Amino acid sequence: MISSILLINLKGEILVWRAYKDDVTRADWQAFCNQVVMSKESRERPVQTINFTHFVYITQGDIVLVAATKFNVNVMLVLKLLLKMVELFKSYFGGSLDDTQVRKHLVLIYELLDEIIDYGYPQILEIDVLKKYITQGGAKNLDLNDQEQLKKITVQATGVCSWRAEGIKHRKNEVFIDVVENVNILVSTKRERLRADVSGEILVNCKLSGMPECKFGMNDKLIMSADSRARASDKGIALDDYRFHQCVRLSKFDVDREITFIPPDEPFTLMTYRITENIESPFKLLPTVKVLGRNRLELSLQVTAMYDRNIEASNVRIDFPCPKNTAKGHIPNPGHGKARYDPVQGAVVWRIRRFPGRHEYNLLAEVELASTINDKQWVRPPITMAFDVPQFTASGLRVRFLKVQEKSNYKPVKWIRYLTKAGTYEHRI
């Protein structure tokens, strides 16, 4: 698959060169350094082909990580490998990866490259496993005379479940699930939706003993339509794109749409997804701009919370843009929250700490404009909004069940939280 791995600085100097096959020569690498790295093209295209050699690379600070091959490989797999290598190096180098750190840890880097790749194929990339027996860089030393401990590491590194070790014990078995969504909405001046989609992720933190198998189910549209017990009002969600953690058994999801996995013993992202159908907007905005004279404008805004009364949004911020020649703004007491004209942002900024559901708040502001020589027409930027709405999902995604099966048959405590944040939330005026 991969012939060589190189670490190059932005001057084109080769710092690390690990060859797994001998089909890519130094002349090929020198051509890449001269034509790509030194000519500052490393940020434009992640794949370059020079003299029938394919170079796949990423830039991290002042370091370019490059994988070279003569074959038609899976480019996304190679990019994922390079990104995982950056994460691995940073964990050993104290969170940074630069020219100084590479030169300081050359021996450690070569040792890691020998372990994570074998004859050009990725092998062990679990940071926790590698740190148990590659003990440089401040990692804890391993007792090489402890045969039981060595056996556990070998099983974890070479087994089908490298992300979780055996023999894990917790005093209290708990599972924490966080469904976090970023809602992106664009509304026109005629109050018509031009864009509405949700980018979400499901974060899981399992504090479970042993080697549990978890089954996770949500209100997927394909399952809800076939489930006779489902409520008629709950039609389910339609996933447009989704990506799973490596612990998920994809074959089972394709058959029964249930997410089956053996979780790592640390917080991780179980799933990321995107949904574009039936997006529910948390807020409704009704802005108006009234011209009071040559140098005065009146801005008014009505904001309505569309979620249930028992839900309360927090950290709500609304930026109502003003013309560039605004001299000052006069804002009476808005009644809820705090509002002021911010000359740096060029907008009236309205902050509301708590916004209960089904409530309606209003803002009225007057701005004075400075006289200018050229009276250019004001190109109105959109109103932008930021917020956090707990226990609410704009897509309607809900966790239907979470089952935990382990040979000791314990009953874990399950915690589920929902949170919707503003992604790109704009309303044109």
Coordinates of all heavy atoms in Angstrom, one line a residue, residues 83-152:
L83 N -3.6 11.8 9.6 CA -4.2 12.5 10.7 C -4.1 11.8 12.0 O -3.9 12.4 13.1 CB -5.7 12.8 10.4 CG -6.0 13.8 9.2 CD1 -7.4 13.7 8.9 CD2 -5.5 15.2 9.6
K84 N -4.2 10.5 12.0 CA -4.0 9.7 13.2 C -2.6 9.8 13.7 O -2.3 9.8 14.9 CB -4.5 8.2 13.0 CG -4.6 7.4 14.2 CD -5.8 7.8 15.1 CE -5.9 6.9 16.3 NZ -7.0 7.4 17.1
M85 N -1.7 9.8 12.8 CA -0.2 9.9 13.1 C 0.0 11.3 13.8 O 0.8 11.4 14.8 CB 0.6 9.8 11.9 CG 0.7 8.4 11.4 SD 1.5 8.3 9.8 CE 3.1 9.1 10.1
V86 N -0.6 12.3 13.3 CA -0.5 13.7 14.0 C -1.0 13.6 15.4 O -0.3 14.1 16.4 CB -1.2 14.7 13.2 CG1 -1.3 16.0 14.0 CG2 -0.6 15.0 11.8
E87 N -2.1 13.0 15.6 CA -2.7 12.8 17.0 C -1.8 12.0 17.8 O -1.6 12.3 19.0 CB -4.1 12.2 16.8 CG -4.8 12.0 18.2 CD -6.1 11.3 18.0 OE1 -6.6 11.1 16.8 OE2 -6.7 10.8 19.0
L88 N -1.2 11.0 17.3 CA -0.3 10.1 18.1 C 1.0 10.9 18.5 O 1.4 10.8 19.6 CB 0.1 8.9 17.2 CG 1.1 7.9 17.8 CD1 0.6 7.3 19.1 CD2 1.5 6.8 16.8
F89 N 1.6 11.6 17.5 CA 2.8 12.3 17.8 C 2.6 13.4 18.9 O 3.4 13.6 19.8 CB 3.4 12.9 16.5 CG 3.9 11.9 15.6 CD1 3.9 12.2 14.2 CD2 4.4 10.7 16.0 CE1 4.4 11.3 13.3 CE2 4.9 9.8 15.1 CZ 4.9 10.1 13.7
K90 N 1.4 14.1 18.8 CA 1.1 15.1 19.7 C 1.0 14.6 21.1 O 1.3 15.2 22.1 CB -0.1 15.9 19.3 CG 0.1 16.9 18.2 CD -1.2 17.6 17.9 CE -1.0 18.7 16.8 NZ -2.2 19.5 16.6
S91 N 0.4 13.4 21.2 CA 0.2 12.8 22.5 C 1.5 12.4 23.2 O 1.6 12.4 24.4 CB -0.7 11.5 22.4 OG 0.0 10.5 21.7
Y92 N 2.5 12.1 22.4 CA 3.9 11.8 22.9 C 4.7 13.1 23.2 O 5.5 13.1 24.0 CB 4.6 10.9 21.9 CG 4.4 9.4 22.2 CD1 3.4 8.7 21.5 CD2 5.2 8.7 23.1 CE1 3.3 7.4 21.7 CE2 5.0 7.4 23.3 CZ 4.1 6.7 22.6 OH 3.9 5.3 22.8
F93 N 4.4 14.1 22.4 CA 5.3 15.3 22.4 C 4.7 16.4 23.3 O 5.1 17.6 23.2 CB 5.5 15.9 21.0 CG 6.2 14.9 20.1 CD1 6.1 15.0 18.7 CD2 6.8 13.8 20.6 CE1 6.6 14.1 17.8 CE2 7.4 12.8 19.7 CZ 7.3 13.0 18.3
G94 N 3.7 16.1 24.1 CA 3.1 17.1 25.0 C 2.1 18.1 24.3 O 2.0 19.2 24.7
G95 N 1.5 17.6 23.2 CA 0.4 18.4 22.5 C 0.9 19.3 21.4 O 0.1 20.0 20.8
S96 N 2.2 19.3 21.0 CA 2.6 20.1 19.9 C 3.4 19.2 18.9 O 4.0 18.2 19.3 CB 3.5 21.2 20.4 OG 4.7 20.7 21.0
L97 N 3.4 19.7 17.7 CA 4.2 19.0 16.6 C 4.8 20.0 15.7 O 4.1 20.7 15.0 CB 3.3 18.0 15.8 CG 4.0 17.3 14.6 CD1 5.1 16.4 15.1 CD2 2.9 16.5 13.8
D98 N 6.1 20.2 15.8 CA 6.8 21.2 15.0 C 8.2 20.7 14.7 O 8.6 19.6 15.1 CB 6.8 22.6 15.7 CG 7.4 22.5 17.1 OD1 8.2 21.6 17.4 OD2 6.9 23.3 18.0
D99 N 9.0 21.5 14.0 CA 10.3 21.2 13.6 C 11.2 20.8 14.8 O 11.9 19.8 14.8 CB 10.9 22.3 12.8 CG 12.2 22.0 12.1 OD1 13.1 21.4 12.8 OD2 12.4 22.2 10.9
T100 N 11.1 21.6 15.8 CA 11.9 21.4 17.0 C 11.6 20.0 17.7 O 12.5 19.3 18.1 CB 11.7 22.5 18.0 OG1 12.0 23.8 17.4 CG2 12.6 22.3 19.2
Q101 N 10.3 19.7 17.8 CA 9.9 18.5 18.5 C 10.3 17.3 17.6 O 10.7 16.2 18.2 CB 8.4 18.5 18.7 CG 7.9 19.5 19.7 CD 8.2 19.1 21.1 OE1 8.7 18.0 21.4 NE2 7.9 20.0 22.0
V102 N 10.2 17.4 16.3 CA 10.6 16.2 15.5 C 12.1 16.0 15.6 O 12.5 14.8 15.7 CB 10.2 16.5 14.0 CG1 10.8 15.5 13.1 CG2 8.7 16.6 13.8
R103 N 12.9 17.0 15.5 CA 14.4 16.8 15.7 C 14.7 16.3 17.1 O 15.7 15.5 17.2 CB 15.1 18.1 15.4 CG 15.0 18.7 14.0 CD 15.7 20.0 13.8 NE 15.5 20.6 12.5 CZ 16.2 20.3 11.4 NH1 17.2 19.5 11.5 NH2 15.9 20.9 10.3
K104 N 14.0 16.6 18.1 CA 14.3 16.2 19.4 C 13.9 14.8 19.7 O 14.5 14.1 20.5 CB 13.5 17.1 20.4 CG 13.7 16.8 21.9 CD 12.9 17.8 22.7 CE 13.1 17.5 24.2 NZ 12.3 18.4 25.0
H105 N 12.9 14.2 18.9 CA 12.4 12.9 19.2 C 12.5 12.0 17.9 O 11.6 11.2 17.6 CB 10.9 12.9 19.6 CG 10.7 13.7 20.8 ND1 10.3 15.0 20.8 CD2 10.7 13.3 22.2 CE1 10.1 15.5 22.1 NE2 10.4 14.5 22.9
L106 N 13.6 12.1 17.3 CA 13.8 11.3 16.0 C 13.8 9.8 16.3 O 13.1 9.0 15.6 CB 15.2 11.6 15.4 CG 15.2 13.0 14.7 CD1 16.6 13.3 14.2 CD2 14.2 13.1 13.5
V107 N 14.4 9.3 17.4 CA 14.5 7.9 17.7 C 13.1 7.4 18.0 O 12.6 6.3 17.5 CB 15.4 7.6 18.9 CG1 15.4 6.1 19.2 CG2 16.8 8.0 18.5
L108 N 12.3 8.2 18.8 CA 10.9 7.8 19.1 C 10.0 7.7 17.9 O 9.2 6.8 17.8 CB 10.4 8.8 20.2 CG 8.9 8.7 20.6 CD1 8.7 7.3 21.2 CD2 8.5 9.8 21.5
I109 N 10.2 8.7 17.0 CA 9.4 8.7 15.8 C 9.6 7.5 14.9 O 8.7 6.8 14.4 CB 9.6 10.0 15.0 CG1 9.1 11.2 15.7 CG2 9.0 9.9 13.6 CD1 9.4 12.5 15.1
Y110 N 10.9 7.1 14.8 CA 11.2 5.9 14.0 C 10.6 4.6 14.7 O 10.1 3.7 14.0 CB 12.7 5.8 13.8 CG 13.2 6.6 12.6 CD1 14.0 7.7 12.8 CD2 12.9 6.2 11.3 CE1 14.4 8.5 11.8 CE2 13.4 6.9 10.2 CZ 14.2 8.1 10.5 OH 14.6 8.8 9.4
E111 N 10.7 4.6 16.0 CA 10.2 3.4 16.7 C 8.6 3.4 16.5 O 8.1 2.3 16.3 CB 10.5 3.5 18.2 CG 10.2 2.3 19.0 CD 10.7 2.4 20.4 OE1 11.4 3.4 20.8 OE2 10.4 1.4 21.2
L112 N 8.0 4.5 16.6 CA 6.5 4.5 16.4 C 6.1 4.1 14.9 O 5.2 3.3 14.7 CB 6.0 5.9 16.7 CG 5.9 6.3 18.2 CD1 5.6 7.8 18.3 CD2 4.9 5.5 18.9
L113 N 6.9 4.6 14.0 CA 6.6 4.2 12.6 C 6.8 2.8 12.3 O 6.1 2.2 11.5 CB 7.5 5.1 11.6 CG 7.2 6.6 11.6 CD1 8.2 7.3 10.7 CD2 5.8 6.8 11.0
D114 N 7.7 2.1 13.0 CA 7.9 0.7 12.9 C 6.7 -0.1 13.5 O 6.4 -1.2 13.0 CB 9.2 0.2 13.6 CG 10.4 0.6 12.8 OD1 10.3 0.9 11.6 OD2 11.5 0.7 13.4
E115 N 6.1 0.5 14.5 CA 5.0 -0.3 15.1 C 3.6 0.0 14.5 O 2.8 -0.9 14.4 CB 4.9 0.2 16.6 CG 6.0 -0.2 17.5 CD 6.1 -1.7 17.7 OE1 5.0 -2.4 17.5 OE2 7.2 -2.3 18.0
I116 N 3.4 1.2 14.0 CA 2.0 1.5 13.5 C 1.8 1.1 12.0 O 0.7 0.9 11.6 CB 1.7 3.0 13.6 CG1 2.7 3.8 12.7 CG2 1.8 3.4 15.1 CD1 2.4 5.3 12.8
I117 N 2.9 0.8 11.3 CA 2.8 0.4 9.9 C 3.8 -0.8 9.7 O 4.9 -0.8 10.1 CB 3.2 1.6 8.9 CG1 2.3 2.8 9.1 CG2 3.2 1.1 7.5 CD1 2.7 4.0 8.4
D118 N 3.2 -1.8 9.0 CA 4.0 -3.0 8.7 C 3.9 -3.2 7.2 O 2.9 -3.5 6.6 CB 3.4 -4.2 9.4 CG 4.3 -5.4 9.2 OD1 5.5 -5.3 8.8 OD2 3.8 -6.5 9.5
Y119 N 5.1 -3.1 6.5 CA 5.2 -3.3 5.1 C 4.2 -2.4 4.3 O 3.6 -2.8 3.3 CB 5.0 -4.8 4.7 CG 5.5 -5.1 3.3 CD1 6.9 -5.0 3.0 CD2 4.7 -5.5 2.3 CE1 7.4 -5.3 1.7 CE2 5.1 -5.8 1.0 CZ 6.5 -5.7 0.8 OH 7.0 -6.0 -0.5
G120 N 4.0 -1.2 4.8 CA 3.1 -0.3 4.1 C 1.6 -0.4 4.5 O 0.8 0.4 4.0
Y121 N 1.3 -1.2 5.4 CA -0.1 -1.4 5.8 C -0.3 -0.9 7.3 O 0.5 -1.4 8.2 CB -0.6 -2.8 5.7 CG -0.7 -3.3 4.2 CD1 0.3 -3.8 3.6 CD2 -1.9 -3.1 3.6 CE1 0.2 -4.2 2.2 CE2 -2.1 -3.5 2.2 CZ -1.0 -4.0 1.6 OH -1.1 -4.4 0.3
P122 N -1.3 -0.1 7.6 CA -1.5 0.3 9.0 C -1.8 -0.9 9.9 O -2.5 -1.8 9.5 CB -2.7 1.3 8.9 CG -2.8 1.7 7.5 CD -2.2 0.5 6.7
Q123 N -1.2 -0.8 11.1 CA -1.4 -1.9 12.1 C -2.0 -1.4 13.4 O -3.2 -1.3 13.5 CB -0.1 -2.6 12.3 CG 0.5 -3.3 11.1 CD -0.3 -4.4 10.6 OE1 -0.8 -5.2 11.3 NE2 -0.5 -4.5 9.2
I124 N -1.2 -1.0 14.3 CA -1.6 -0.5 15.6 C -1.6 1.0 15.7 O -0.5 1.6 15.5 CB -0.7 -1.1 16.7 CG1 -0.7 -2.6 16.6 CG2 -1.2 -0.7 18.1 CD1 0.4 -3.3 17.5
L125 N -2.8 1.6 15.9 CA -2.8 3.1 16.0 C -3.5 3.5 17.3 O -3.8 4.7 17.4 CB -3.6 3.6 14.8 CG -2.9 3.5 13.4 CD1 -3.9 3.7 12.3 CD2 -1.8 4.5 13.3
E126 N -3.7 2.6 18.2 CA -4.3 3.0 19.5 C -3.3 3.6 20.4 O -2.3 2.9 20.7 CB -5.0 1.8 20.1 CG -6.1 1.1 19.3 CD -7.2 2.1 19.0 OE1 -7.5 2.9 19.9 OE2 -7.8 2.0 18.0
I127 N -3.5 4.8 20.8 CA -2.5 5.6 21.6 C -2.3 4.9 22.9 O -1.1 4.7 23.4 CB -3.0 7.0 21.7 CG1 -3.0 7.7 20.4 CG2 -2.0 7.8 22.7 CD1 -3.6 9.1 20.4
D128 N -3.4 4.5 23.6 CA -3.2 3.8 24.9 C -2.4 2.5 24.8 O -1.6 2.2 25.7 CB -4.6 3.5 25.5 CG -5.4 4.8 25.8 OD1 -4.7 5.9 25.9 OD2 -6.6 4.8 25.9
V129 N -2.6 1.8 23.7 CA -1.9 0.5 23.6 C -0.4 0.8 23.3 O 0.5 0.2 23.9 CB -2.5 -0.3 22.5 CG1 -1.6 -1.6 22.2 CG2 -3.9 -0.7 22.8
L130 N -0.1 1.7 22.4 CA 1.3 2.0 22.1 C 2.1 2.6 23.3 O 3.2 2.2 23.5 CB 1.3 3.0 21.0 CG 0.9 2.5 19.6 CD1 0.7 3.7 18.6 CD2 1.9 1.5 19.0
K131 N 1.4 3.4 24.1 CA 2.1 4.0 25.3 C 2.4 2.9 26.4 O 3.2 3.2 27.2 CB 1.2 5.1 25.9 CG 1.3 6.4 25.1 CD 0.7 7.5 25.8 CE 0.9 8.8 25.1 NZ 0.3 10.0 25.8
K132 N 1.8 1.8 26.3 CA 2.1 0.7 27.3 C 3.5 0.1 27.0 O 4.1 -0.4 28.0 CB 1.0 -0.3 27.3 CG -0.3 0.2 27.9 CD -1.4 -0.8 27.9 CE -2.6 -0.3 28.6 NZ -3.7 -1.3 28.6
Y133 N 3.9 0.0 25.8 CA 5.2 -0.7 25.5 C 6.2 0.2 24.8 O 7.4 -0.2 24.6 CB 5.0 -2.0 24.8 CG 4.4 -2.0 23.5 CD1 5.1 -1.8 22.3 CD2 3.0 -2.1 23.4 CE1 4.5 -1.8 21.1 CE2 2.4 -2.1 22.1 CZ 3.1 -1.9 21.0 OH 2.5 -1.9 19.8
I134 N 5.8 1.3 24.2 CA 6.8 2.3 23.7 C 6.8 3.4 24.8 O 6.0 4.3 24.8 CB 6.4 2.9 22.4 CG1 6.3 1.7 21.3 CG2 7.3 4.0 21.9 CD1 6.0 2.2 19.9
T135 N 7.8 3.3 25.7 CA 7.8 4.1 26.9 C 8.7 5.3 27.0 O 9.2 5.7 28.0 CB 8.2 3.1 28.1 OG1 9.5 2.6 27.8 CG2 7.2 2.0 28.2
Q136 N 9.0 5.8 25.8 CA 9.7 7.1 25.8 C 8.8 8.2 25.9 O 7.6 8.1 25.9 CB 10.6 7.2 24.5 CG 11.6 6.1 24.4 CD 12.5 6.3 23.2 OE1 12.9 7.4 22.9 NE2 12.8 5.2 22.5
G137 N 9.3 9.4 25.9 CA 8.5 10.6 25.9 C 7.7 10.9 27.1 O 6.6 11.4 27.1
G138 N 8.2 10.4 28.3 CA 7.5 10.6 29.5 C 6.4 9.6 29.8 O 5.6 9.8 30.8
A139 N 6.2 8.6 29.0 CA 5.1 7.6 29.3 C 5.5 6.7 30.4 O 6.7 6.6 30.8 CB 4.9 6.8 28.0
K140 N 4.6 6.1 31.1 CA 4.8 5.2 32.2 C 5.6 4.0 31.8 O 5.2 3.3 30.7 CB 3.5 4.8 32.9 CG 2.8 6.0 33.5 CD 1.5 5.6 34.2 CE 0.8 6.8 34.9 NZ -0.4 6.4 35.5
N141 N 6.5 3.6 32.5 CA 7.3 2.4 32.2 C 6.5 1.1 32.5 O 5.7 1.1 33.4 CB 8.6 2.3 33.0 CG 9.6 3.4 32.5 OD1 9.6 3.7 31.4 ND2 10.3 3.9 33.5
L142 N 6.7 0.1 31.7 CA 6.0 -1.2 31.8 C 7.0 -2.2 32.4 O 8.1 -2.3 32.1 CB 5.5 -1.7 30.5 CG 4.8 -3.0 30.4 CD1 3.5 -3.0 31.1 CD2 4.7 -3.4 28.9
D143 N 6.4 -3.0 33.4 CA 7.2 -4.1 34.0 C 7.3 -5.2 33.0 O 6.3 -6.0 32.8 CB 6.6 -4.5 35.3 CG 7.5 -5.5 36.0 OD1 8.6 -5.8 35.5 OD2 7.0 -6.0 37.1
L144 N 8.4 -5.4 32.3 CA 8.6 -6.4 31.3 C 8.6 -7.8 31.9 O 8.6 -8.8 31.2 CB 9.8 -6.2 30.5 CG 9.9 -4.8 29.7 CD1 11.2 -4.7 29.0 CD2 8.7 -4.8 28.7
N145 N 8.8 -8.0 33.2 CA 8.8 -9.3 33.9 C 7.4 -9.7 34.3 O 7.2 -10.9 34.7 CB 9.7 -9.2 35.1 CG 11.1 -9.0 34.8 OD1 11.6 -9.5 33.8 ND2 11.8 -8.2 35.6
D146 N 6.4 -8.9 34.1 CA 5.0 -9.2 34.5 C 4.4 -9.8 33.3 O 3.9 -9.2 32.4 CB 4.2 -7.9 34.9 CG 2.9 -8.2 35.5 OD1 2.4 -9.4 35.3 OD2 2.3 -7.3 36.1
Q147 N 4.4 -11.2 33.2 CA 3.8 -11.9 32.1 C 2.4 -11.7 31.9 O 1.9 -11.6 30.7 CB 4.1 -13.4 32.3 CG 5.6 -13.8 32.3 CD 6.3 -13.4 31.0 OE1 5.7 -13.6 29.9 NE2 7.5 -12.9 31.0
E148 N 1.6 -11.6 33.0 CA 0.2 -11.4 32.8 C -0.1 -10.0 32.2 O -1.0 -9.9 31.3 CB -0.5 -11.4 34.2 CG -2.0 -11.5 34.2 CD -2.5 -12.8 33.6 OE1 -1.9 -13.8 33.7 OE2 -3.6 -12.7 33.0
Q149 N 0.6 -9.0 32.6 CA 0.4 -7.7 32.0 C 0.8 -7.7 30.5 O 0.1 -7.1 29.7 CB 1.2 -6.6 32.8 CG 0.8 -5.2 32.4 CD 1.5 -4.2 33.4 OE1 2.3 -4.6 34.2 NE2 1.1 -2.9 33.2
L150 N 1.9 -8.3 30.2 CA 2.3 -8.4 28.8 C 1.3 -9.2 27.9 O 1.0 -8.8 26.8 CB 3.7 -9.1 28.7 CG 4.9 -8.3 29.2 CD1 6.1 -9.2 29.2 CD2 5.1 -7.1 28.4
K151 N 0.7 -10.2 28.5 CA -0.3 -11.0 27.8 C -1.5 -10.1 27.5 O -2.1 -10.2 26.4 CB -0.7 -12.2 28.6 CG -1.7 -13.1 27.9 CD -2.1 -14.3 28.8 CE -3.1 -15.2 28.1 NZ -3.5 -16.3 29.0
K152 N -2.0 -9.3 28.4 CA -3.1 -8.4 28.2 C -2.8 -7.4 27.1 O -3.7 -7.1 26.3 CB -3.5 -7.7 29.5 CG -4.1 -8.5 30.6 CD -4.5 -7.7 31.8 CE -5.1 -8.6 32.9 NZ -5.5 -7.8 34.1

